[in-house]
Amino acid sequence: QVQLAESGGGSAQAGGSLRLSCRVSGVTGPYSRYCLGWFRQAPGEEREGVAMIGGDGRTLYTDSVKGRFSISKTNALDFLYLQMNSLRPDDIAMYYCAAVDQRNYCSSGSWFFSPDRPDYWGQGTQVTVSS
């Protein structure tokens, strides 16, 4: 059973940076079977996909964070990160780490950004941006 635990949320000023971490446990090889990513949900809004990284290491981002956010993972697949730069007030949300297990190989794709696709979720970490 894959378990995900986020940390690193908090408050930053507009234009500032935060780095989110997600501790990943319970994964089994081959690690390329997993796609990992980040979602966020603002109050009163639907959960939306922000960034994902596939078993092939290819990354995808939603348009609103391209050029500002960067997703990465460790080779041992024990941590997933989201580096968030140039933060804006519209980045305020609860951020969730998520994972999909495709059993053999997980290809990167925008399909991951559908909130009903992840098999596993973390509990979330709050990000606040002050203007």
Side-chain angles (χ1 to χ4, degrees):
Q1 182 81 356
V2 176
Q3 293 184 314
L4 307 170
E6 305 92 337
S7 62
S11 183
Q13 290 192 327
S17 299
L18 284 173
R19 188 192 196 205
L20 304 183
S21 298
C22 175
R23 182 170 180 85
V24 182
S25 60
V27 294
T28 57
Y31 293 157
S32 57
R33 64 191 279 180
Y34 299 100
C35 284
L36 301 173
W38 294 91
F39 285 72
R40 66 185 179 185
Q41 188 167 20
E45 301 291 331
E46 293 185 354
R47 191 168 295 190
E48 66 166 347
V50 175
M52 69 86 62
I53 185 166
D56 55 1
R58 193 165 66 97
T59 58
L60 288 176
Y61 300 90
T62 193
D63 285 346
S64 63
V65 308
K66 285 180 181 176
R68 301 189 298 122
F69 290 11
S70 178
I71 189 171
S72 62
K73 62 182 179 179
T74 56
N75 289 335
L77 207 59
D78 51 357
F79 280 96
L80 178 74
Y81 301 104
L82 186 67
Q83 178 66 42
M84 305 186 295
N85 299 327
S86 302
L87 283 163
R88 309 184 312 210
D90 61 357
D91 294 319
I92 294 173
M94 184 73 78
Y95 283 72
Y96 297 91
C97 180
V100 170
D101 181 359
Q102 295 281 52
R103 300 296 188 265
N104 291 305
Y105 182 79
C106 190
S107 296
S108 302
S110 57
W111 59 267
F112 183 90
F113 290 152
S114 176
D116 62 351
R117 291 308 300 270
D119 301 309
Y120 305 98
W121 292 94
Q123 292 299 307
T125 186
Q126 179 68 41
V127 171
T128 302
V129 182
S130 58
S131 57

